[in-house]
Each structure stands twice: as structure tokens, then as C-alpha cells.
Amino acid sequence: MTKIVDGSKATVHAGPVSRAAGVAYSLARLLPLSNRILIDVNSQRPVDSALSFLSARWRTQHAGIRQVVITPRVRDSWRHSWHLGRSRWLVTNELFFSRLPKREGQFMLVAVNEQPLVRSGRDNPDWVLQPSSERRPSRSQVDRWDLVVTSSPFATQVLRSSSGYVGEVLEGVSAFADASATALDDPQLRIRLALNPNLPVVLCALASSTSAMQAEALVQAFAGRMQFRFVTDDGSRVHSSQVFDDLPSWCAAADLLVTDWSSLAMEFGSLQRPIVAFQPDHLDVVRRRGTYLDLPTVLPGPMVTTMSELFEQLQVWLADGDAGLSEFGKRSSAFSQFGAPPKSVAAERIWQSSMGSR
């Protein structure tokens, strides 16, 4: 008689799983793997919406393969654990945090891998032991990542220095970049996003709601002349004109990006549009944490440290266009090389490298 392990006693990275989830996983392991894909979105960051692009493409191209999408709302539930034990392919955006061991024959793919601006994880001694280290590898990750997707050689270098992954790297591929390129081809993009087609669009990407940027002041100062949308890396709310979903489309619709330390700057750079860095804490961050890039020398646009300077740059941009922003013309093309090409055929290449090869 086969003994069913009480999964509630299995302690994993984020703590013990629930009894129901443990039982579901134990039962699932008694059955053979099925040809299904578990897409696990492990946070509520807007950037994670790029996984929806992959999912939609795969449903069209491979309708016979079942997909199961797990969001934070149903994490560690019976349903989640059951599909975690039965699915042949495990697709995530970053890490599988609270996970029981991967089964023999399962293939784990990290399909959406953010490219940060500030240092994090193993390459930063001051942060490696902190719970907030975004890329600090857990023991449960060793020998579990079969394939990791990166946008460029630079992204691969960042990944190797800050993550303890083991496996193959598929370079020059970005689901986010492909989703943005697809949105660019939509003639009704601004109408679909409920934007005024006659006013320029500024996307303000912030690391979190603790940013020093005064969102309401920006909106009021340029009312009737430009339209603002705000987004935060962690999904925290900063303004009523904030977007949370379909971020690649919002990037495609934006004429200019204003950002502090958001990793979205790297994604937006592929579009070869201007970026204004708002960084009143630039020296503090560089000294305390360190950065992967020296932004003042590579960013396709100026860096400002006060709200008044930001207002001035936006006024210049309104009057003179992209050419009015310092360094944009010189750096735009070079900065785009840090990301993936706008049409990297992500869905097809990822499928061929993981699903299609098994």
C-alpha cells in the first residue's frame, strides 16, 4: 500500500504549506505528469503582465496543451499544489518561492526575468543577507531552473552575478519587448487605453510608493498639455492615474518615460524613446547599494534631482521635442542594446527551447 506523505509537515522556503495543499501535492505525485503548463505569477507587479502575452500566443499556436495560471490570490491552495504536482512544464516570472520539490521529468522555465538598475542579491554584500534581497537565491532553487530567459548579454551578466540559478540561458529574448512591439502595430492603441490621441503621454515608473516624486503636482502643472500615467514596480498605489495591467501596451503608448530606480527603464529603452531620470537620492543609492549602470553617462535623456528641474525638462520637451533633451540623440540607440530586440520571437523561441524539445 502506498503511503501518502503529510505535506503539511514539509517546511519550504516561505514556511510550511497548508495541510490541504500538502495532501493535494502528495496525491498529484502518485499520478504521471500530464501535458499541461503551470504559469505561476508569483507577485502582483505590473511587469508580470508580460506572461499573459506568452500565454495568449501559446494558446493560439498550441491549442492542444492545457494551461493553468496561478496568481497570488490562489497560491498554496489545493488547486495550486495539485497542478504543481501534475504539470510537466513550470513557467514563472522570477522565482518559485514557496515550493515543494520539483518532480522528475518536470521542466522549470523563468520566462520573465527583470533587469534591475540597482544592485541586489549575491553581488552586494550589504544586501545578500537581507530578506528584501530580490534575487537572493534560496536552497529550494538550486538545480531547479532548467531554462532562464534574458534580454541581452548585459542582462545575462547581471543574472549570473546576482542569482544562484543552474541551467541554460536563452539570450536575446523578451516577452515584454515582443508584447510592446505587438502593441505598437495596433492603430487603435491609444483609443483602447482611453488616451487622448492629441496629447503626449508621459509614463512615470517608480520603484515604489515611497518615491519623492510628487505625482499630483505633475498632473496639475501640465493639465491640458500632456497626460500622465503612473506605475510602481511593486504595485503600490501612488495616484489615481495609475496602471497595473498590460504594461507593455502602456510603454508602447508612452512618448516619454520619467523614472527613479524602476527596472522598467531597461524595457522602455528598447523603444528608443527619451527617458528622464528623477533621482534626488542618486548619490545615496550609489554609495549605499550600488548600480549596474552609471545612469548619467548612459541614459537617453537628462538626470534631475528636484521637482523644479523635472518641470523644466518637461517644459523643454513640450517646446522642442525629443531633440531638446540632452544626450537623447547620442545615447538612444546604444541604450537600447541593453534590452532585447523589439521582435525577438519570444513565444516561439521559448517554446522550442523548453516545451518543444520534450
Side-chain angles (χ1 to χ4, degrees):
M1 179 176 179
T2 303
K3 180 180 179 181
I4 298 178
V5 178
D6 182 358
S8 64
K9 296 179 181 178
T11 300
V12 291
H13 179 53
V17 298
S18 67
R19 182 176 296 273
V23 170
Y25 185 77
S26 298
L27 290 173
R29 286 174 61 90
L30 299 177
L31 300 173
L33 292 172
S34 63
N35 285 330
R36 73 184 71 175
I37 302 170
L38 175 68
I39 299 178
D40 192 330
V41 184
N42 74 41
S43 71
Q44 294 177 311
R45 304 171 305 178
V47 72
D48 299 332
S49 59
L51 276 177
S52 300
F53 174 81
L54 280 182
S55 177
R57 285 293 178 91
W58 287 340
R59 279 198 301 270
T60 300
Q61 299 168 355
H62 312 282
I65 304 293
R66 183 186 177 189
Q67 294 184 31
V68 179
V69 179
I70 297 295
T71 62
R73 187 173 300 176
V74 293
R75 174 147 300 106
D76 296 327
S77 63
W78 172 286
R79 175 173 177 264
H80 181 198
S81 299
W82 175 261
H83 290 297
L84 185 65
R86 292 295 317 278
S87 303
R88 187 174 300 277
W89 298 285
L90 311 176
V91 181
T92 187
N93 55 310
E94 190 76 23
L95 300 174
F96 280 88
F97 278 115
S98 178
R99 297 297 173 270
L100 293 160
K102 186 177 71 172
R103 289 185 62 179
E104 180 71 25
Q106 285 183 322
F107 190 98
M108 181 179 288
L109 162 68
V110 180
V112 180
N113 191 49
E114 269 193 299
Q115 191 176 170
L117 292 177
V118 292
R119 291 190 178 274
S120 55
R122 297 193 309 170
D123 60 340
N124 191 314
D126 293 334
W127 285 76
V128 68
L129 298 180
Q130 299 294 323
S132 59
S133 293
E134 295 91 337
R135 292 175 136 68
R136 180 169 60 91
S138 67
R139 290 184 179 180
S140 63
Q141 305 307 319
V142 177
D143 296 322
R144 296 196 66 197
W145 299 10
D146 297 294
L147 181 68
V148 184
V149 173
T150 66
S151 59
S152 66
F154 176 77
T156 300
Q157 178 183 350
V158 171
L159 183 67
R160 290 190 185 280
S161 66
S162 62
S163 297
Y165 75 91
V166 177
E168 178 188 355
V169 177
L170 184 60
E171 196 174 272
V173 176
S174 170
F176 195 105
D178 281 7
S180 293
T182 300
L184 282 172
D185 293 334
D186 180 5
Q188 302 297 314
L189 175 61
R190 292 201 173 189
I191 296 175
R192 176 167 65 83
L193 297 178
L195 290 168
N196 185 334
N198 300 315
L199 293 179
V201 179
V202 177
L203 183 63
C204 297
L206 311 175
S208 71
S209 58
T210 61
S211 173
M213 185 180 293
Q214 300 168 26
E216 190 59 43
L218 273 179
V219 174
Q220 292 180 1
F222 294 94
R225 291 184 291 168
M226 62 176 69
Q227 45 200 329
F228 289 88
R229 292 298 183 271
F230 298 86
V231 62
T232 56
D233 284 359
D234 60 4
S236 57
R237 187 175 293 275
V238 295
H239 194 267
S240 58
S241 299
Q242 188 161 343
V243 295
F244 298 92
D245 302 309
D246 196 12
L247 197 53
S249 291
W250 284 104
C251 285
D255 300 294
L256 172 76
L257 181 75
V258 178
T259 186
D260 50 11
W261 295 104
S262 171
S263 58
L264 188 62
M266 307 301 285
E267 301 288 358
F268 192 82
S270 299
L271 299 173
Q272 297 193 36
R273 296 176 183 175
I275 301 174
V276 176
F278 174 69
Q279 297 181 343
D281 60 346
H282 182 81
L283 289 179
D284 177 64
V285 170
V286 170
R287 290 169 179 169
R288 178 176 57 89
R289 187 168 181 176
T291 60
Y292 290 113
L293 291 173
D294 182 23
L295 295 186
T297 64
V298 299
L299 206 70
M303 190 182 82
V304 299
T305 59
T306 66
M307 287 297 296
S308 60
E309 289 177 339
L310 177 58
F311 288 159
E312 292 175 6
Q313 289 296 333
L314 291 177
Q315 294 279 17
V316 169
W317 180 64
L318 274 176
D320 301 330
D322 296 350
L325 297 178
S326 62
E327 308 301 336
F328 170 69
K330 297 178 182 177
R331 299 176 180 172
S332 179
S333 178
F335 188 77
S336 69
Q337 300 304 310
F338 290 115
K343 293 186 178 180
S344 63
V345 200
E348 292 80 357
R349 290 183 60 188
I350 293 173
W351 185 276
Q352 184 60 37
S353 296
S354 53
M355 288 75 168
S357 63
R358 299 179 68 83

